[in-house]
Amino acid sequence: MTMLTPRTPRKLGPPGRGRRERKAAELEARTRRVGEQLASVSARPAVRVLQSVDSSHHGLTHAEAALRLDRHGANEVARERAPHWFVQLAKAYCNPFIAVLVFLAAVMYWQDPADPGVVILSVMVGVSGLLRFWQEYRSGRAADALKKLVTTTCAVQRRAGGGSGPTTIEVPMDQVVPGDLVKLAAGDLIPADLRLITAKDLMVGQAALSGESLPVAKADTRTEDLGQHETTDPVEADNLCLMGTSVTSGTATGVVVATGADTYFGSMAGSLAGERPQTNFDTGVRKVSFLLIRFMLVMVPVVFAINGLTKGDWDEALLFGIAVAVGLTPEMLPMVVSANLARGAVAMSRHKVVVKRLNAIQNLGAMDVLCTDKTGTLTEDRIVLDRYLDVHGAEDNEVLEYGYLNAHFQTGLKNLMDQAVIDRVNEAEEVVVDARFSMVDEIPFDFARRRMSVVLNRNRLVGGPEAEADAAGSAGRTGPARPAENAEHVLITKGAVEEVLDLCTHVVDGGRTVELTESARIRAALTAEENNRRGLRVLAVATRTVETPRDTYTVADEEGLTLVGFLAFLDPPKASAAAALRGLADKGIAVKVVTGDNDLVAARVCAEVGIDVGHVVLGPEIDALDDLGLRALAARTTVFAKVNPVQKARIVRALQAEGHTVGFLGDGINDAAALRDADVGISVDTAVDIAKESADIILLEKDLTVLEQGVIQGRTTFGNTVKYVKMTASSNFGNVFSVLVASAFIPFQPMPAIMLLVQNLVYDIAQLATPWDRMDEEYLRKPRNWDAKGIGRFMVTIGPISSIFDIAMFLIMWNVFGANSEAQQSLFQSGWFIEGLLSQTLVVHMIRTRKIPFVQSRASRPVMVMTVLAVLTGLWLPFSPLAGSLGFVALPASYFPWLIGVLLAYCTLTQLVKTRYIRRFGTWL
C-alpha cells in the first residue's frame, strides 16, 4: 500500500492550473483539516470525547446505532470500487489494438466512405470492445459477490435499550458508527478513527499511514484519561487509533470519532485511488501486445511498398496494407484475457477458493514454492488438551486449574489452545474453579515474548473453609462470595516452555514449592521435550503471588515465577495432508513449513505427513544470516520453526530472490507481513482481519487439497491465454510471409482487402471459445510463467509452415485451375480464402496441445462448435448471396480434393515440426 503521510501544504495557484493539481491541493487541505480535528480529540479528556459523540462507557443502543448508520452512511472509503458501467465500457475500448483498428478504419473511410471494409472494421471494433466490457463487468460483479463470502467484523459494545446492560457483539466493519465502543485485540483491523478509552500494552502496526514497518506502542490508558499534549500529526498521537492500521498485540477499548470518508485514512482516499501495481501477468500481456504491434509496424510498410511497386496501384496497395495490418492485430487479446480470468475466478469459487484480485489467478498457477503454517493445513486444526502434567510428567489438576484461569480471564485474542483448556475444564467434573478470583490486569501475548499473563485477585472468603467449599460448589450459579479485606494478587503466566522456564526461580514439586535447581530445570525441560517428541505441543504454566498489589502490571512483573507444570495439546495430522502434499509435488510445487511452533513438534508432524524434514532451521539462525546467506539456506531447508513475523517475511523474500514464485498460506497476525510480500498471499475465511486483508486469495476451507484445485485452475487460465497468443502470433506471421511472396510474384492482388477483413472477422469470432478450452494433464503439472522470448521463437518456427501450403495452393490455383490472369483473379482469391481460413482454424487444434489432436487430445465442446461454424462459414461464403459483393466466385468440385490434400499435408507437417520443436526446446505452450 502506498505510504500515506501528510504532505507539506502548498498555496493554491491561479485559476488556470491543471485539474490534477487542484485535486491534489483539495486533498491536502482536507487531510490537514481532518488531522487538526483528530489532534483536538487527542488533547481532550476521554469523558469529554464521549460526550462530544453523544455516547457513554456503556456504548450505544442498537436503535441509536441504526439511526447513526442512516445519518452517516456505511463505514467505507472510496477505494478499489468498480467504476460505473459506462466508464467500464469506455475503458474497454482503450487498448492499443482497438486504437490500431480505429486508425485503419479512419484511413479506409477517408479513401472511400462506401468501402464495406469500414463496416467490417467497425464490427470488429464493436465486438471486441463489447465482449471485453461484458466479461470485465461480469467478472467484477462475480468478484464482489465472492468477496461478500468473506466478511470482516469487529467487536462492538452495544445495548438493547430499556436499561439493559451492554454486551459485546461482532458487527460488519461497514456498520460501525460514530459513538460506538470498539473492543480491540491482537489481529484486529482498526475499523474507524478511535479515541482510546482504555488500553493495555497496545502495539499498533501503522505502516499503511506512516510507512514505519515496526509496530508503534500506544499509551496505557484508563477511563479517566485526560488527553495528551496536542500534536500536529494524529498518527503520532498515542491515544488515537486510526482506520487502516492494525493491532499487533495488547488490548484496548476505543470510541469511534469518525467513520468512512471522514476518517484520516478516508481523507486520503483520492491519493489511494488508481490502479494497483502491475503484476507479472499484466507485464507479460503488455510485453506480448507490443511485440505483436512492433511486428505489424515493420511488416505492413514492406507489404505496402511491394504491392505498390509491383502492381502500380498505390491506392489498392494501401487498402491491402490496411487489411494486412488488421490481420496482424490480435484485437481479441484483451477480451480473451478478461474472459479467462473471469471464468477462472468463478471456477475456483466452486472449489471453495475466493479470488480477491483476478490477476492473482495467474500467480497462483505460476507458484513453484508454497510456504505454509503447520496448524490447520497439515493438522486437523482441532486442538484438544491431551494431558496436564507436573514437572515429573504425572497428571496434576492444579496445572489444569491455573491454565484455565489464564485462558478464561484473558480479554485478548483466544487461540485454539485457550479454547481447548476451557472446554476441558467444562467437561471435567473433578475440577471446579470457584469464585475466589476476579480480574485485575493482564499482560497480553506478543510474538517476541511468546507468552501472556493475567493478574487475578484471589479473595479469601469470609466464613472459613466451609464458606470456601460452599462457594466452590455454587460458582457461576449464585454469584461470587463476599471477599474479605486480605485479598492477594496472583500472576499466572502461560506460554512457550523455554520462555516461561527462563523466568522461573521455583517449582512446585510434590505439592511443595521448592527452589528450581539446575537439575530440576533440566528434568522439567526433558518432560516437555518428551511430550514434544510424541507430537504434542507443550505450554508451561507458572505463577507468582505479588507482594505489593497494585492496579497495573507490566512485562517487568513477569519474573521470579514458580513453575507449576505443563499443558500438552494434541493436533493430529490431517488424513488428507499426505495425499495433498504429493499432489502439490506432482504439480511442481515445493512445500516449505514455516511455523512459530516448537521444532520437535513441527518435525514430528511433518514426518508423519511425508515431508522430508532434514535440518530444522530456527528463528535465531535466520537472524544470524545476511540476505545472501539466507537465500542459500532457504533453498535447501524444508522446515522452519520458532520463527517470528519478520523472519517469515525474510524467508519469502529470500526465496523470491532465488527466482521462485512464492505463495504464502497463513491465517494469523504473525503472517500478515509475509502475505503482503509473497507473490500470492493465501489466507482462509476464519483468519484474523489483517491476514484476510493482506491476502490475494481466500480459501473457504483450510486444506491443501482445496489449494491444489486452485493451482490447477490458475494454470488452466494462464494456459488458455498463452494458447491464444501463440495461435495468433504464429498465424499472423505465416499470413504475412505468404502475402509477401504472393505480392512479389503474382500480377494481381492475392486477396482483396475486403476478403482479408472477412477472413479475419470469422477467425477472430472462432477464437472467442478459447477461454473455455481444457488443458492437457501434462501442462498442468508444472508452474507456468510468461516467456516473451519463447513466444517469438514459436512464432518464427510454426508460422512459416502455413506459408508453405499457402504457396502450394497458389501453385495449384495457378497451374491446375488456370487462375493465372487478372480475368481469373477472383477464382484464385476465392481458393486461397478458403484454404487460408480453414488452415488457420484447423491449426488451433494443432497448437492447443502437444499431443496428436483429435486422437490423443480433444478440444472442449465450445471450441469444437466454433471451429465447425468457422469452417462451414468459410465454405459457404463463395456460394452465398454475399459472394458477388465480397468478390467471391463459386469454386469447382475438383477444387475440394486438392483442398483436403493440402490441409492434411499441413496438419501432418505441423505435427512433425511440433514433435521436433518439443524435443529441441522441451516445451510447447
Side-chain angles (χ1 to χ4, degrees):
M1 188 176 290
T2 306
M3 188 178 80
L4 304 176
T5 52
R7 288 172 273 198
T8 306
R10 297 182 298 188
K11 295 182 179 179
L12 291 176
R17 68 186 302 176
R19 179 180 176 185
R20 183 177 297 177
E21 291 182 349
R22 288 198 303 272
K23 183 178 179 181
E26 291 170 1
L27 284 170
E28 289 173 3
R30 183 180 177 191
T31 301
R32 186 169 60 251
R33 183 171 63 253
V34 172
E36 291 170 351
Q37 293 170 352
L38 287 170
S40 173
V41 167
S42 171
R44 288 153 61 193
V47 175
R48 292 269 306 280
V49 173
L50 285 167
Q51 291 172 349
S52 68
V53 292
D54 197 16
S55 186
S56 70
H57 288 95
H58 301 295
L60 304 175
T61 65
H62 296 296
E64 289 172 337
L67 288 173
R68 297 190 187 195
L69 186 61
D70 289 337
R71 186 188 319 150
H72 296 278
N75 178 35
E76 298 173 336
V77 295
R79 59 188 177 106
E80 294 187 323
R81 287 184 179 179
H84 196 276
W85 69 265
F86 61 78
V87 176
Q88 287 182 275
L89 180 61
K91 285 186 175 181
Y93 288 92
C94 295
N95 74 74
F97 303 131
I98 294 291
V100 168
L101 293 184
V102 170
F103 172 75
L104 296 176
V107 174
M108 261 189 169
Y109 183 81
W110 172 71
Q111 272 205 318
D112 181 6
D115 192 329
V118 177
V119 176
I120 293 177
L121 280 178
S122 300
V123 170
M124 295 175 78
V125 169
V127 169
S128 175
L130 283 173
L131 288 175
R132 184 186 181 195
F133 158 72
W134 180 240
Q135 287 295 343
E136 291 189 347
Y137 181 72
R138 283 182 57 210
S139 68
R141 295 186 65 178
D144 288 341
L146 292 173
K147 287 179 188 177
K148 289 177 182 176
L149 297 174
V150 183
T151 58
T152 304
T153 62
C154 60
V156 173
Q157 184 174 296
R158 287 183 181 167
R159 295 174 288 127
S164 62
T167 57
T168 300
I169 60 173
E170 292 285 331
V171 300
M173 282 193 178
D174 60 1
Q175 294 182 22
V176 171
V177 296
D180 263 330
L181 288 187
V182 177
K183 302 283 189 178
L184 299 175
D188 288 345
L189 284 175
I190 309 298
D193 285 352
L194 309 179
R195 166 64 157 86
L196 295 177
I197 304 300
T198 63
K200 177 65 178 175
D201 295 330
L202 186 66
M203 301 288 289
V204 176
Q206 300 187 153
L209 296 178
S210 66
E212 174 60 49
S213 58
L214 295 177
V216 175
K218 296 296 180 178
D220 282 0
T221 306
R222 296 292 171 174
T223 54
E224 64 275 9
D225 174 61
L226 298 177
Q228 64 178 37
H229 296 297
E230 191 166 323
T231 176
T232 57
D233 185 357
V235 179
E236 297 178 355
D238 61 9
N239 61 358
L240 294 179
C241 285
L242 306 180
M243 173 187 265
T245 62
S246 59
V247 180
T248 59
S249 64
T251 58
T253 301
V255 61
V256 176
V257 296
T259 59
D262 295 328
T263 63
Y264 191 67
F265 187 83
S267 70
M268 302 180 190
S271 62
L272 284 171
E275 300 295 325
R276 284 179 176 264
Q278 284 204 332
T279 64
N280 180 50
F281 184 78
D282 299 318
T283 304
V285 171
R286 181 173 53 82
K287 285 181 178 179
V288 169
S289 300
F290 283 100
L291 169 69
L292 298 176
I293 288 176
R294 285 197 303 271
F295 177 66
M296 180 192 68
L297 293 175
V298 171
M299 297 305 295
V300 169
V302 175
V303 171
F304 168 67
I306 290 176
N307 273 274
L309 291 171
T310 57
K311 313 299 184 298
D313 188 343
W314 290 96
D315 287 342
E316 187 66 25
L318 178 61
L319 286 175
F320 188 72
I322 290 172
V324 171
V326 173
L328 289 173
T329 304
E331 61 276 1
M332 293 298 173
L333 178 59
M335 191 287 302
V336 168
V337 170
S338 300
N340 263 314
L341 294 176
R343 181 179 176 275
V346 174
M348 289 170 73
S349 70
R350 298 192 192 105
H351 294 288
K352 301 181 181 180
V353 181
V354 176
V355 180
K356 288 177 61 182
R357 289 200 304 123
L358 286 179
N359 286 354
I361 294 173
Q362 190 273 335
N363 285 340
L364 185 61
M367 176 178 69
D368 61 346
V369 174
L370 172 67
C371 297
T372 178
D373 193 6
K374 170 181 65 65
T375 305
T377 51
L378 304 182
T379 62
E380 291 284 356
D381 205 9
R382 182 180 52 82
I383 292 180
V384 294
L385 180 60
D386 186 66
R387 56 191 68 179
Y388 31 95
L389 311 170
D390 63 16
V391 292
H392 299 290
E395 191 169 292
D396 188 342
N397 281 350
E398 186 180 26
V399 179
L400 176 59
E401 179 174 348
Y402 278 120
Y404 171 82
L405 290 170
N406 177 282
H408 174 74
F409 281 102
Q410 67 163 299
T411 60
L413 190 68
K414 284 185 171 63
N415 58 34
L416 294 173
M417 287 182 288
D418 293 320
Q419 193 59 50
V421 174
I422 294 171
D423 292 343
R424 180 67 180 83
V425 169
N426 290 339
E427 295 169 1
E429 297 180 0
E430 71 273 14
V431 177
V432 179
V433 179
D434 58 39
R436 290 172 297 167
F437 298 96
S438 59
M439 184 70 169
V440 176
D441 201 0
E442 70 180 311
I443 307 168
F445 177 87
D446 66 55
F447 295 100
R449 292 167 37 251
R450 301 176 67 208
R451 61 181 181 271
M452 71 84 52
S453 302
V454 296
V455 182
L456 306 179
N457 190 18
R458 179 157 53 191
N459 304 313
R460 299 189 181 281
L461 303 178
V462 174
E466 295 80 5
E468 291 195 18
D470 181 64
S474 60
R477 304 182 185 88
T478 59
R482 179 169 58 88
E485 294 182 0
N486 59 342
E488 63 182 9
H489 289 181
V490 58
L491 182 145
I492 306 172
T493 299
K494 177 176 94 277
V497 173
E498 296 87 343
E499 280 72 6
V500 172
L501 201 55
D502 286 345
L503 302 173
C504 293
T505 57
H506 292 76
V507 62
V508 176
D509 189 348
R512 297 182 299 110
T513 299
V514 297
E515 184 179 352
L516 182 62
T517 62
E518 188 60 30
S519 61
R521 187 184 300 273
I522 293 173
R523 186 170 62 249
L526 287 174
T527 298
E529 183 176 329
E530 181 183 349
N531 283 276
N532 284 155
R533 293 189 185 280
R534 294 174 181 169
L536 300 175
R537 182 170 180 180
V538 180
L539 297 182
V541 179
T543 67
R544 177 168 78 89
T545 301
V546 181
E547 294 79 8
T548 55
R550 52 192 182 278
D551 292 336
T552 60
Y553 291 82
T554 66
V555 173
D557 292 301
E558 294 176 323
E559 62 177 5
L561 304 182
T562 297
L563 180 65
V564 180
F566 304 105
L567 301 171
F569 300 87
L570 176 65
D571 186 7
K574 278 187 175 177
S576 62
L581 288 168
R582 287 195 298 271
L584 290 172
D586 290 342
K587 301 296 182 295
I589 299 174
V591 176
K592 294 182 182 291
V593 177
V594 184
T595 179
D597 205 350
N598 180 280
D599 54 325
L600 295 174
V601 174
R604 175 66 181 269
V605 170
C606 290
E608 288 185 7
V609 296
I611 293 176
D612 183 10
V613 177
H615 172 64
V616 180
V617 172
L618 304 182
E621 296 179 55
I622 295 172
D623 287 336
L625 295 172
D626 59 12
D627 290 343
L628 191 60
L630 181 57
R631 285 171 57 177
L633 179 68
R636 64 175 184 266
T637 302
T638 304
V639 181
F640 299 85
K642 294 185 181 178
V643 290
N644 61 35
V646 174
Q647 292 160 351
K648 288 185 178 184
R650 282 194 67 200
I651 292 168
V652 168
R653 292 194 297 270
L655 291 167
Q656 289 171 327
E658 287 291 296
H660 296 289
T661 300
V662 183
F664 190 93
L665 172 58
D667 61 357
I669 183 174
N670 54 331
D671 299 318
L675 286 167
R676 283 193 297 267
D677 285 346
D679 293 291
V680 54
I682 308 162
S683 193
V684 292
D685 62 337
T686 55
V688 297
D689 300 336
I690 187 61
K692 288 189 287 188
E693 187 73 9
S694 302
D696 304 306
I697 288 174
I698 305 291
L699 306 182
L700 299 182
E701 184 177 324
K702 194 173 181 181
D703 193 325
L704 291 179
T705 305
V706 172
L707 183 60
E708 182 186 356
Q709 294 299 320
V711 169
I712 292 172
Q713 192 58 53
R715 292 180 184 175
T716 301
T717 299
F718 179 68
N720 282 331
T721 304
V722 172
K723 191 183 297 180
Y724 172 81
V725 170
K726 288 193 171 182
M727 289 173 187
T728 303
S730 59
S731 177
N732 290 351
F733 184 84
N735 287 346
V736 169
F737 196 77
S738 302
V739 166
L740 286 174
V741 173
S743 299
F745 296 103
I746 296 175
F748 49 82
Q749 291 288 4
M751 192 182 296
I754 187 66
M755 279 191 190
L756 270 178
L757 293 174
V758 170
Q759 189 183 72
N760 292 327
L761 179 61
V762 174
Y763 176 74
D764 284 340
I765 291 176
Q767 299 312 300
L768 298 181
T770 303
W772 285 267
D773 196 13
R774 61 174 64 96
M775 296 301 303
D776 292 336
E777 185 68 28
E778 292 80 3
Y779 182 87
L780 302 176
R781 288 178 183 165
K782 291 175 60 178
R784 305 290 172 175
N785 226 321
W786 283 108
D787 179 11
K789 181 180 178 181
I791 291 172
R793 181 179 63 226
F794 188 95
M795 180 173 67
V796 298
T797 303
I798 305 301
I801 299 176
S802 65
S803 298
I804 295 173
F805 295 95
D806 285 341
I807 294 169
M809 183 54 71
F810 296 163
L811 295 173
I812 292 169
M813 298 304 297
W814 188 274
N815 296 306
V816 177
F817 294 99
N820 49 21
S821 65
E822 290 192 23
Q824 296 295 319
Q825 64 177 332
S826 293
L827 180 62
F828 181 97
Q829 293 160 350
S830 299
W832 187 35
F833 172 88
I834 292 180
E835 185 273 336
L837 178 60
L838 268 60
S839 63
Q840 272 188 303
T841 305
L842 289 175
V843 81
V844 167
H845 294 272
M846 308 301 299
I847 290 176
R848 62 165 296 277
T849 175
R850 62 188 293 158
K851 299 179 179 179
I852 301 175
F854 305 110
V855 178
Q856 295 177 327
S857 175
R858 283 186 293 176
S860 64
R861 181 175 296 177
V863 173
M864 295 291 287
V865 169
M866 295 302 287
T867 298
V868 171
L869 289 176
V871 169
L872 293 177
T873 301
L875 294 172
W876 171 76
L877 279 172
F879 304 93
S880 72
L882 301 174
S885 60
L886 297 176
F888 290 109
V889 296
L891 290 157
S894 59
Y895 163 82
F896 292 99
W898 286 100
L899 173 66
I900 293 171
V902 168
L903 293 176
L904 286 175
Y906 173 50
C907 291
T908 302
L909 182 58
T910 302
Q911 185 65 33
L912 292 173
V913 172
K914 177 168 66 174
T915 303
R916 185 173 180 82
Y917 183 96
I918 293 171
R919 190 180 300 124
R920 170 71 174 82
F921 299 107
T923 185
W924 181 241
L925 289 179

